[in-house]
Amino acid sequence: MPDAEATSGRAARLPSERGEPAEITVDGRPVGCFAGETVATAMLAAGVPAFSHRNGEPRIPLCNMGTCFECGVTVDGVPLTRACLTTVRDGMRVETSER
Amino acid sequence: MSAAHDLVVVGAGPAGAAAALAAADAGLDVLVVDEQRAAGGQILRTTPPEFGGRRKLPTGYPWAGELLDRARSHPGIAWRHGATVFGILPVTADASSAGGADASAGPGSADGADASAGPASAGFDVLTSDPADPAGSGRVRARRVLIASGAYDMPVAIPGWTLPGVMMAGAVQGFLKSQRLRVADRVVLAGSHPLLLIVADQLLAAGARIEEVAIARGIPSPVELLRALPAVPGHVRLLGELAGCVLRLLRAGVRISTGTVPTEVLGDGRVQGVRLARADRGWRQTGPARTVEADALVLGYGFHPSTELARQLGCALDWDSAQGGWIVRHDAQLETTVPGVHVAGEPSGVAGAEQSRAEGELAGLTIAAALGRPVPERALAGARRRIRSASRFSGVVQRMFAPRREALLELATPATEICRCETVTRSTIDGFLDENPFAGTADAVKLACRSGMGPCQGRYCESAVAGLVAKARGTGVGEAGRFAAHIPVKPVPLQAYVALADDPAEVP
């Protein structure tokens, strides 16, 4: 599970039934999550400060419905994959994008 | 190439699901393509099956559960979830091996605007991409297509709105409903649409601290409320739900400020505060701004319909601000100006789930009739009646909560990024318009300034760009025009094109 410092004041999972525990890596660092979560949920709950960058500025999801592409990350080598539409899979490799 | 379908529906929300069901019940072979994992669209999003537990649909739509269950289990409906339709190509008669022209030329399609496109009765190639599943990528032949692609939250460019922590109301609600995730602890909400209050209430229930709800408009006047009364029957449940939200927020001590707009988002690397100011009846800032500390700003000023596929196909669109901006022109049967291309739900004018479902039903029935299936007049009349009934309510909502776009545009300062993708500021666009007095369209600004050329393809800057053009030229936003849409209407990986090359037809 994510470290406490990164999550304070920000996204938090609500008490709720979830899927089996899983683990993905984000820029090589392990991020704990649960089956059925989207990559966006896993990254927000872990306190990842930027999904993508535009002109050096950090960005995280704006629309959460596949239209804004601010959550575009590289998933298992496929660039500009929308984290909000992608379900986590144990062992999935996610890289945030520089632009 | 996958087998041909009578109808391909883009979007599995209330409109798409209702259309698919009506068409399949009438005997058509239907494929529904949707970007989400499950049917229901944004409004009926629920937790994924991995979470276990019971499906919890919103209470305002008692028909939702049965509609989704019936559609999902119908043998005449195939589903392609997690896939993006990135283009639709008309098939010319000689390229079509399917033969068999439509039983009729299509009801009432003699608008003439785009009639030069040639023979359209041979159908369409619908291009889909699924980065996670090669079977979901490729070319699908359809005799008719229905665009039921829904809507997205209306963007409003304010200083600092690119900071992490600024999110749209629909985004925040989606995380709560389908992922059980609270996006922040301390939240300010700003907007004008009724959804804003529902999201505030849901955040409160999820344990967030609602620092303030800033509503641009004032309290409805008695005249407005009187005008709204005829629209209420049948929608009491929805209005009651809204009243309950306000009551719970007030009881929890949440500050709800009317006549208030956000003027700036503060923070270093993420949202740390929001500046709020009083506004007049026209939503223009009247007083000095004050700072409210928060981790997130939620924006909810309304919705824009997703019309990119209709644009790419050459359908005529019309500007109607209250209905969400650019909407797809259609006849009484919901056929667009391109024969064989139909529209239902928000792209025909943002009107909510109730009306979307009724429009989907009518579209499904009329497409079935156009393809020669027997459709009882009673069923058509019922769908039309439901559309009329729903539109009385949606019309009032549209009037009461119509965004004041000119005033919202003035929240953007010269340094504000209008185009988030390409980081194009207002001063760049205003400067270009100053130096080029003959540039008078949104597309001209796009070509010169790159605003609208990034991954979102203009969805989040088009209205502001057109607004700046209209202001500079003294015209309306409609005259400033809209961005053209081309294949791919959303960025797709190269593999999607490889999949097309494997199909026996030319690559676009």
Side-chain angles (χ1 to χ4, degrees):
Chain A
M1 292 300 292
D3 52 298
E5 189 211 353
T7 57
S8 71
R10 286 183 255 168
R13 290 182 177 88
L14 300 175
S16 160
E17 287 179 66
R18 291 190 184 267
E20 294 294 311
E23 190 176 277
I24 63 174
T25 61
V26 177
D27 295 331
R29 295 177 55 189
V31 167
C33 52
F34 298 91
E37 291 185 346
T38 63
V39 173
T41 293
M43 289 173 70
L44 286 174
V48 174
F51 285 48
S52 62
H53 287 83
R54 301 277 160 85
N55 215 3
E57 300 171 14
R59 300 288 173 86
I60 67 169
L62 174 73
C63 80
N64 190 30
M65 56 177 76
T67 53
C68 77
F69 283 82
E70 301 271 29
C71 71
V73 290
T74 301
V75 173
D76 292 336
V78 181
L80 206 56
T81 302
R82 286 165 287 177
C84 72
L85 292 177
T86 306
T87 304
V88 296
R89 191 181 29 72
D90 201 39
M92 184 179 259
R93 285 176 298 108
V94 177
E95 286 141 65
T96 60
S97 37
E98 279 298 331
R99 210 176 99 95
Chain B
M1 179 170 68
S2 323
H5 296 271
D6 292 322
L7 170 66
V8 169
V9 176
V10 184
L21 185 59
D25 273 346
L28 294 192
D29 160 34
V30 184
L31 173 72
V32 183
V33 188
D34 190 273
E35 291 191 310
Q36 299 286 340
R37 277 185 70 189
Q42 295 300 320
I43 187 80
L44 304 177
R45 274 174 81 167
T46 55
T47 49
E50 291 91 337
F51 282 22
R54 273 166 37 89
R55 176 178 71 180
K56 264 179 69 183
L57 290 167
T59 51
Y61 309 101
W63 41 263
E66 193 194 335
L67 167 65
L68 296 181
D69 287 344
R70 283 202 59 214
R72 277 192 288 234
S73 59
H74 200 295
I77 306 176
W79 302 84
R80 194 174 279 198
H81 279 295
T84 300
V85 174
F86 65 94
I88 300 176
L89 295 167
V91 179
T92 50
D94 47 59
S96 165
S97 54
D102 288 355
S104 85
S109 56
D111 182 87
D114 293 271
S116 60
S121 56
F124 302 88
D125 273 348
V126 179
L127 313 180
T128 73
S129 164
D130 179 353
D133 176 14
S137 297
R139 184 191 305 262
V140 185
R141 182 66 54 87
R143 296 176 74 191
R144 300 250 168 170
V145 294
L146 175 71
I147 297 171
S149 43
Y152 59 99
D153 295 85
M154 174 182 156
V156 176
I158 63 175
W161 77 308
T162 57
L163 279 170
V166 176
M167 277 192 204
M168 295 300 180
V172 172
Q173 195 186 37
F175 278 122
L176 280 173
K177 284 197 298 192
S178 68
Q179 295 281 297
R180 305 300 295 145
L181 183 85
R182 181 181 73 225
V183 295
D185 273 349
R186 301 176 306 159
V187 184
V188 170
L189 298 98
S192 54
H193 195 274
L195 176 69
L196 195 71
L197 290 163
I198 294 173
V199 173
D201 180 46
Q202 289 170 335
L203 278 169
L204 185 71
R209 218 165 80 196
I210 311 299
E211 300 295 346
E212 189 157 342
V213 182
I215 300 186
R217 56 159 297 147
I219 293 165
S221 70
V223 175
E224 279 181 298
L225 289 176
L226 265 178
R227 228 190 269 140
L229 274 181
V232 171
H235 296 277
V236 179
R237 205 190 307 245
L238 284 173
L239 285 190
E241 196 183 345
L242 202 59
C245 289
V246 174
L247 213 66
R248 283 188 292 273
L249 289 166
L250 291 175
R251 205 180 289 144
V254 170
R255 179 172 180 180
I256 302 178
S257 310
T258 52
T260 303
V261 291
T263 59
E264 189 180 1
V265 190
L266 306 171
D268 181 10
R270 65 183 179 90
V271 175
Q272 289 165 308
V274 181
R275 303 270 290 162
L276 298 174
R278 294 285 305 158
D280 63 18
R281 291 179 61 86
W283 300 13
R284 295 196 186 259
Q285 183 183 349
T286 53
R290 57 194 164 81
T291 300
V292 180
E293 284 187 26
D295 309 310
L297 170 64
V298 179
L299 297 172
Y301 288 90
F303 297 92
H304 280 177
S306 294
T307 58
E308 57 273 359
L309 287 168
R311 296 176 188 214
Q312 178 257 308
L313 275 160
C315 302
L317 282 84
D318 294 299
W319 174 260
D320 185 330
S321 179
Q323 292 206 58
W326 288 104
I327 62 172
V328 183
R329 192 182 300 168
H330 56 85
D331 63 16
Q333 331 296 331
L334 295 162
E335 188 165 11
T336 71
T337 56
V338 173
V341 177
H342 302 250
V343 67
E346 315 299 27
S348 76
V350 175
E354 197 80 35
Q355 190 166 331
S356 293
R357 170 210 173 209
E359 288 184 4
E361 193 184 356
L362 179 64
L365 292 170
T366 54
I367 290 167
L371 293 180
R373 300 303 194 284
V375 172
E377 183 52 42
R378 206 175 24 171
L380 289 163
R384 289 202 187 91
R385 194 176 57 243
R386 279 187 280 281
I387 293 176
R388 272 198 306 278
S389 154
S391 70
R392 275 200 296 276
F393 182 73
S394 64
V396 168
V397 171
Q398 285 163 0
R399 275 197 301 280
M400 277 179 75
F401 300 100
R404 307 283 176 104
R405 293 176 190 268
E406 295 85 359
L408 291 174
L409 184 61
E410 290 317 313
L411 294 172
T413 62
T416 302
E417 284 176 15
I418 298 290
C419 169
R420 301 172 61 100
C421 297
E422 299 292 310
T423 63
V424 182
T425 62
R426 174 172 184 167
S427 67
T428 300
I429 295 168
D430 279 343
F432 165 76
L433 289 168
D434 275 349
E435 288 160 22
N436 298 274
F438 297 108
T441 65
D443 258 342
V445 174
K446 175 181 173 180
L447 285 174
C449 305
R450 297 197 54 79
S451 48
M453 287 195 183
C456 93
Q457 303 193 338
R459 287 172 182 82
Y460 288 80
C461 70
E462 178 186 74
S463 58
V465 168
L468 292 174
V469 172
K471 181 183 160 82
R473 301 295 174 248
T475 60
V477 179
E479 281 75 58
R482 51 191 169 81
F483 295 153
H486 307 285
I487 295 174
V489 299
K490 283 184 176 176
V492 291
L494 267 178
Q495 292 94 305
Y497 280 90
V498 176
L500 289 185
D502 292 341
D503 281 341
E506 78 273 30
V507 179

